[in-house]
Amino acid sequence: MICGQFTDYTVNASGARRAKKRTAMESSSGDGQSSLRSSGRQTKRKATDTEEEEDQAEKKYRKCEKAGCSATYPVCFASASERCAKNGYTSRWYHLSCGEHFCNECFDHYYRSHKDGYETYASWKRVWTGNGKSEPSLKAFMADQQLPYWVQCTKPDCGKWRQLTKEIQLTASLAATYRCGMKFNNPCSYSEPCCVPQRVAEVIDSWWHSMLILPPLFKDSPANPFLTAYYPDCVGMSPSGSTSNHSHAELRAEHCRAIPPQSKSIGDGRESTSQLFPGLCPYFQPFYQPNECGKALCVRPDMMELDELYEFPEFSRDPTMYLALRNLILASWHRGCKEVLTPQNCAPHIIVRGLVRVRCVQEMDRVLLFMTRKGLINTGVLSVKQPLLPERYHNKNVIVIGAGASGLAAARQLQNFGMQVVMLEASERIGGRVWDDTSLGGVTVGRGAQIVNGCVNNPIALMSEQLSIKMHKLGERCDLFQEGGSATDPAIDKRMDFHFNAILDVVSEWRKDKSQNQDTPLGEKIQEVYKTFLQESGVQFSQLEEKVLQFHLSNLEYACGSTLDQVSARSWDHNEFFAQFSGDHTLLTEGYSSVLNKLAEGLDIRIKSPVLVTVPLTLLQKNIIQFNPPLPERKLKAIHSLGAGLIEKVALQFPFRFWDGKIQGADYFGHIPPSPDKRGMFGVFYDMDPQGKRSVLMSVISGEAVPSIRDMEDKDVADQCMKVLRELFKEQEVPDPVNYFVTRWSRDMWSQMSYSFVKTGGSGEAYDIIAEDVQGKVFFAGEATNRHFPQTVTGAYLSGVREASKIAAL
């Protein structure tokens, strides 16, 4: 027999608990078996009573059902229904984040068609469905329309986060100026209930983001006008937050009519940017539009790039927050590239309801820092008063060798990051293969580079915008003149241009299944294809047509910087497999020096100091620079697999513009070579003061013509050029030049070349190998290290930015 007492709980009508004691004897029939049965019944009753107790406790409050949610006592933020549970009991809590829930009563208020809030929800749903792609759920409605905004005090010694009432709409202006007490007369010293700072503190913890039910979608983002052709929620923006007069669906339809699928961007795209922002540079197109491809330095606004995924793996499953921030930052930078873009500039434009705004502002710091380090923003010729990167990046001392475009770009970036930089330059000037001459009547003539090939997203266009430098758009018309003075029928030029490109297309097909060992010189392959075409087609070209074909081959040698018998048929245009710069080709009438000199401002540059490493390829090939220990064999092999291309220029100043009447405002005109052996000798003449009054022509010497002038005096080269001009303008008087110069890059001790090319048997991979650093100590930049954009000042500049980013990441 079991002796003792137990307590039986009952619940009265008021819900209060009352205890009643009974003895086991009072429940017993006197025998042992009865006592055991009675004891069993009592045990069952105790279990039932415990469940009942829990049920009663649950009626007082209910936990969030979201696994892992830290909200023990949720509070309804909505307060939409008169029956709102507030912080009391509800049959179900709906989780948006660990600090934000709404009750079942408020859910019903909007979701049930007979409730007062239903029409508000239904109206929002129609807008969301018309503009967006994601599900217009009630949770999405609550996050987009009902959550309160959070805003941070802008006083430097405060920085507290405050929750606004639901009625207050957050704007960028309010966020940029908000101070504690502006809305509720609560000063910075006011302490809110402990749960408020606790909820804010939780947001910063890494796990909080994983408990977020819906990604943040920004309203009125600076990126919105750039991305009207996209579903807003696919690029981090709210489908209900557009201020446009047209729905996104209408704008997407218009865009699809304007751009056919699979089209390649080849124009300058002015219609897509200049109409959005008056005064915005039309060359700024940071985002791909739907169905668009092949545009350099352009990002997909709805996808993360590989380096972004590597840096921010936590966003790989749902990249929405990252895309919203990155797109906002990129758009803001292109709308104001003359000033440093800071977190303080960007944070006010993060307009999103709920605690997630706290997290977005925090993450924005990281994204902006990453994009600055990569040279995607806060780059170019900015004047920087404070280091762009935090103090932990400042503990490096860097020597940059070579003050050409790549060296200056690297040094400027590193110094702006906060590092100590010294530049060593072997020659008496900066610029490397950029060397502008103003001796011809004040007209700037580039002895080296002066043309920008493709301006959309080109960093040279960015720096020109920062410096308010005008870029002259080169026209497409290039009339071809024969010696004797007659102009070539444009139909003949068009026909031979078609055949020339058809030959190159056949070469492209031939190389598809060819290994590096099966390579052949491009010149040989072109002659083979051309001969086969003539034999199989029976076509016979006229003597003039043959000469026009030689003109096009001359242009190809100019592009390669070499005779075609040295260039790889397999890899001559290797970089065309990557997205290239589209849009206008322009002439920098003020010269590249106007940009590079600004890059050099404030840098510690020591000229006449020959050491190393952003140097021309030729100097590496000729072992002019000694490395100890020696460079890896893999790098040496790559260095020698590229060719050091060479072109020369001649520029002449005249007393008047004798060519104007004949070329009728064109920026340049062509010279048909009288015979193949004259190919490359003054093939094209450029007007160096287009649409101006000064009289300077510049021409190029390329291919086999380059060695033919090597031992000639400058006067003899100028005389040869004058003979050609007088043949092209035979019907009129061509005056003697009043001044002239001839470049001598082959004799330049610290250059000895113009730009690189892939030699027969080589490949584009060599550019990547040359770009590899040595043991994290020695880094390489220059056009011959940029596989995507070789042979250009742009490629050299970007290689310097690339290496600066690598050094900063160490």
Side-chain angles (χ1 to χ4, degrees):
M1 188 171 82
I2 300 174
C3 300
Q5 294 182 327
F6 65 91
T7 304
D8 185 21
Y9 286 90
T10 59
V11 180
N12 62 16
S14 65
R17 293 189 181 88
R18 184 177 62 224
K20 182 172 67 176
K21 293 182 180 178
R22 297 187 299 172
T23 64
M25 291 296 292
E26 292 174 331
S27 307
S28 168
S29 62
D31 62 329
Q33 188 176 359
S34 176
S35 297
L36 289 172
R37 285 197 299 269
S38 175
S39 176
R41 285 196 300 273
Q42 291 164 8
T43 303
K44 290 177 182 177
R45 186 180 300 148
K46 285 182 70 175
T48 303
D49 290 344
T50 302
E51 291 171 2
E52 192 174 309
E53 180 181 354
E54 289 177 353
D55 288 343
Q56 297 305 322
E58 192 178 65
K59 288 183 179 179
K60 208 167 187 181
Y61 72 92
R62 189 184 186 94
K63 291 182 180 180
C64 174
E65 296 173 3
K66 172 71 174 173
C69 179
S70 59
T72 308
Y73 301 96
V75 179
C76 181
F77 66 78
S79 300
S81 168
E82 292 180 356
R83 300 180 60 191
C84 174
K86 305 208 183 306
N87 63 343
Y89 173 81
T90 183
S91 59
R92 179 180 177 186
W93 285 108
Y94 292 88
H95 174 107
L96 291 183
S97 78
C98 284
E100 294 159 326
H101 301 77
F102 60 96
C103 67
N104 197 56
E105 286 71 19
C106 289
F107 175 94
D108 285 350
H109 175 76
Y110 290 109
Y111 192 73
R112 305 301 174 191
S113 59
H114 63 283
K115 297 285 186 177
D116 292 343
Y118 176 76
E119 186 50 43
T120 302
Y121 170 53
S123 176
W124 168 89
K125 192 174 181 179
R126 285 191 291 271
V127 174
W128 187 279
T129 304
N131 289 337
K133 196 172 183 180
S134 56
E135 181 187 358
S137 65
L138 191 74
K139 283 189 175 183
F141 166 76
M142 287 294 200
D144 188 69
Q145 297 290 307
Q146 299 300 310
L147 274 174
Y149 285 107
W150 287 77
V151 64
Q152 189 173 26
C153 179
T154 56
K155 287 184 181 178
D157 56 347
C158 179
K160 289 180 181 175
W161 283 93
R162 303 292 193 185
Q163 178 179 309
L164 301 177
T165 60
K166 278 202 307 178
E167 293 73 28
I168 297 177
Q169 295 295 312
L170 183 63
T171 63
S173 176
L174 174 59
T177 58
Y178 179 82
R179 295 197 168 193
C180 293
M182 279 181 66
K183 295 293 179 182
F184 310 111
N185 298 319
N186 293 328
C188 294
S189 58
Y190 169 74
S191 295
E192 297 185 86
C194 62
C195 62
V196 174
Q198 179 184 343
R199 282 197 295 160
V200 171
E202 277 187 346
V203 174
I204 298 171
D205 290 336
S206 58
W207 58 268
W208 190 89
H209 180 252
S210 65
M211 298 295 292
L212 198 62
I213 290 295
L214 297 166
L217 298 174
F218 295 178
K219 299 174 185 287
D220 300 321
S221 169
N224 184 48
F226 286 91
L227 304 177
T228 52
Y230 285 89
Y231 289 107
D233 39 343
C234 293
V235 292
M237 300 186 300
S238 169
S240 71
S242 172
T243 55
S244 170
N245 292 327
H246 302 284
S247 73
H248 278 267
E250 292 171 333
L251 290 165
R252 281 194 300 276
E254 289 175 12
H255 187 86
C256 289
R257 287 194 294 271
I259 300 181
Q262 307 305 320
S263 67
K264 245 193 172 184
S265 175
I266 55 174
D268 63 10
R270 291 171 189 267
E271 69 285 349
S272 63
T273 55
S274 57
Q275 291 178 5
L276 301 175
F277 313 108
L280 182 75
C281 176
Y283 299 135
F284 290 178
Q285 298 175 32
F287 304 107
Y288 275 119
Q289 296 303 310
N291 301 321
E292 196 177 29
C293 62
K295 208 156 67 174
L297 301 193
C298 212
V299 300
R300 282 279 301 270
D302 56 345
M303 288 180 64
M304 292 178 73
E305 306 267 318
L306 286 176
D307 55 347
E308 293 174 319
L309 287 165
Y310 180 81
E311 188 83 9
F312 301 94
E314 66 272 27
F315 292 112
S316 58
R317 292 187 66 182
D318 185 349
T320 307
M321 182 187 292
Y322 179 84
L323 294 174
L325 292 167
R326 180 251 268 158
N327 295 345
L328 182 155
I329 291 169
L330 263 185
S332 298
W333 166 244
H334 285 89
R335 292 173 70 171
C337 66
K338 295 184 180 182
E339 302 291 336
V340 174
L341 189 65
T342 66
Q344 291 73 28
N345 300 142
C346 292
H349 294 282
I350 299 175
I351 307 297
V352 63
R353 291 179 180 272
L355 282 165
V356 74
R357 183 168 188 269
V358 180
R359 184 57 173 256
C360 287
V361 170
Q362 177 202 21
E363 295 292 347
M364 184 267 301
D365 280 358
R366 293 177 59 214
V367 178
L368 191 140
L369 183 68
F370 165 75
M371 294 176 74
T372 297
R373 176 167 61 80
K374 296 290 285 187
L376 301 172
I377 62 168
N378 291 335
T379 189
V381 293
L382 284 180
S383 254
V384 175
K385 296 176 182 176
Q386 299 292 330
L388 296 177
L389 299 187
E391 194 172 343
R392 67 179 183 274
Y393 289 92
H394 302 173
N395 60 346
K396 295 185 181 75
N397 297 311
V398 183
I399 296 175
V400 176
I401 295 97
S406 60
L408 290 168
R412 167 58 58 200
Q413 289 286 102
L414 292 168
Q415 182 159 299
N416 285 355
F417 290 168
M419 300 178 199
Q420 301 302 309
V421 183
V422 173
M423 294 197 75
L424 303 177
E425 167 57 49
S427 71
E428 297 180 346
R429 61 178 182 82
I430 67 168
R433 284 166 278 173
V434 167
W435 186 4
D436 291 334
D437 190 304
T438 57
S439 65
L440 305 185
V443 176
T444 300
V445 181
R447 288 175 172 264
Q450 194 170 3
I451 291 174
V452 184
N453 292 307
C455 288
V456 172
N457 297 334
N458 196 308
I460 306 302
L462 168 73
M463 290 186 280
S464 296
E465 180 73 10
Q466 290 173 327
L467 295 171
S468 301
I469 293 174
K470 185 179 179 182
M471 307 175 79
H472 172 73
K473 177 182 175 180
L474 292 171
E476 294 182 5
R477 185 162 65 87
C478 180
D479 295 335
L480 302 185
F481 297 105
Q482 304 163 47
E483 295 191 3
S486 59
T488 304
D489 184 347
I492 293 177
D493 180 22
K494 188 175 181 180
R495 182 186 183 201
M496 298 315 296
D497 181 58
F498 170 81
H499 283 291
F500 172 68
N501 283 294
I503 291 169
L504 294 180
D505 287 342
V506 174
V507 175
S508 295
E509 283 297 316
W510 164 83
R511 70 186 176 191
K512 283 182 178 178
D513 61 346
K514 298 298 182 291
S515 67
Q516 210 165 321
N517 294 331
Q518 296 172 299
D519 199 4
T520 191
L522 179 59
E524 286 184 17
K525 197 65 196 174
I526 286 175
Q527 286 302 317
E528 178 189 319
V529 172
Y530 181 54
K531 190 175 180 180
T532 302
F533 167 74
L534 293 179
Q535 290 173 346
E536 293 181 355
S537 67
V539 171
Q540 288 187 335
F541 291 124
S542 68
Q543 189 177 24
L544 176 58
E545 287 172 330
E546 290 281 3
K547 290 178 180 179
V548 173
L549 182 60
Q550 291 298 315
F551 169 80
H552 288 295
L553 289 170
S554 171
N555 265 345
L556 183 58
E557 289 180 322
Y558 175 20
C560 294
S562 171
T563 57
L564 300 182
D565 60 353
Q566 295 187 61
V567 179
S568 165
R570 183 174 171 270
S571 302
W572 72 273
D573 61 345
H574 64 97
N575 59 308
E576 293 296 325
F577 292 99
F578 306 105
Q580 296 297 298
F581 292 106
S582 61
D584 299 337
H585 300 315
T586 59
L587 177 74
L588 279 179
T589 53
E590 296 182 38
Y592 271 104
S593 293
S594 58
V595 173
L596 298 194
N597 288 340
K598 189 67 178 179
L599 273 178
E601 276 187 12
L603 296 176
D604 182 357
I605 304 176
R606 304 177 189 185
I607 60 174
K608 299 183 182 178
S609 302
V611 194
L612 66 119
V613 182
T614 63
V615 299
L617 176 70
T618 325
L619 305 190
L620 296 177
Q621 290 177 337
K622 294 185 177 181
N623 296 320
I624 290 173
I625 295 170
Q626 300 298 313
F627 292 87
N628 188 14
L631 293 177
E633 186 63 31
R634 164 183 166 87
K635 186 180 287 286
L636 290 172
K637 184 178 179 182
I639 287 170
H640 290 283
S641 74
L642 295 183
L646 186 63
I647 64 167
E648 300 290 4
K649 293 182 175 182
V650 58
L652 307 102
Q653 178 189 1
F654 296 94
F656 59 89
R657 297 171 62 86
F658 66 86
W659 58 88
D660 272 351
K662 193 164 185 174
I663 72 166
Q664 300 176 341
D667 294 311
Y668 38 73
F669 56 90
H671 160 221
I672 300 295
S675 59
D677 62 312
K678 296 290 185 181
R679 188 175 83 196
M681 188 68 83
F682 319 119
V684 178
F685 287 86
Y686 293 83
D687 184 343
M688 299 312 294
D689 190 25
Q691 301 172 5
K693 296 181 180 179
R694 293 177 293 185
S695 313
V696 177
L697 291 176
M698 181 273 288
S699 192
V700 176
I701 303 159
S702 62
E704 294 287 1
V706 173
S708 72
I709 67 143
R710 186 166 294 152
D711 299 324
M712 291 172 61
E713 296 294 327
D714 288 0
K715 183 180 183 305
D716 296 332
V717 176
D719 287 345
Q720 289 266 18
C721 189
M722 287 305 302
K723 284 182 182 177
V724 170
L725 282 171
R726 287 188 168 117
E727 280 290 327
L728 300 185
F729 294 83
K730 202 162 188 176
E731 71 284 356
Q732 65 185 79
E733 179 190 352
V734 176
D736 290 333
V738 297
N739 203 354
Y740 61 86
F741 70 75
V742 179
T743 63
R744 298 293 184 179
W745 288 107
S746 62
R747 300 178 190 172
D748 188 294
M749 182 177 181
W750 301 109
S751 294
Q752 302 185 32
M753 66 176 294
S754 297
Y755 38 78
S756 62
F757 66 91
V758 180
K759 290 197 297 190
T760 305
S763 84
E765 186 185 5
Y767 287 90
D768 289 338
I769 297 172
I770 299 173
E772 292 171 356
D773 63 89
V774 176
Q775 299 177 3
K777 298 290 185 183
V778 183
F779 297 80
F780 293 79
E783 60 88 14
T785 72
N786 194 324
R787 186 176 186 176
H788 290 225
F789 314 112
Q791 306 175 326
T792 62
V793 178
T794 295
Y797 173 86
L798 287 172
S799 73
V801 172
R802 177 197 70 213
E803 295 308 301
S805 177
K806 285 166 63 174
I807 291 170
L810 290 176

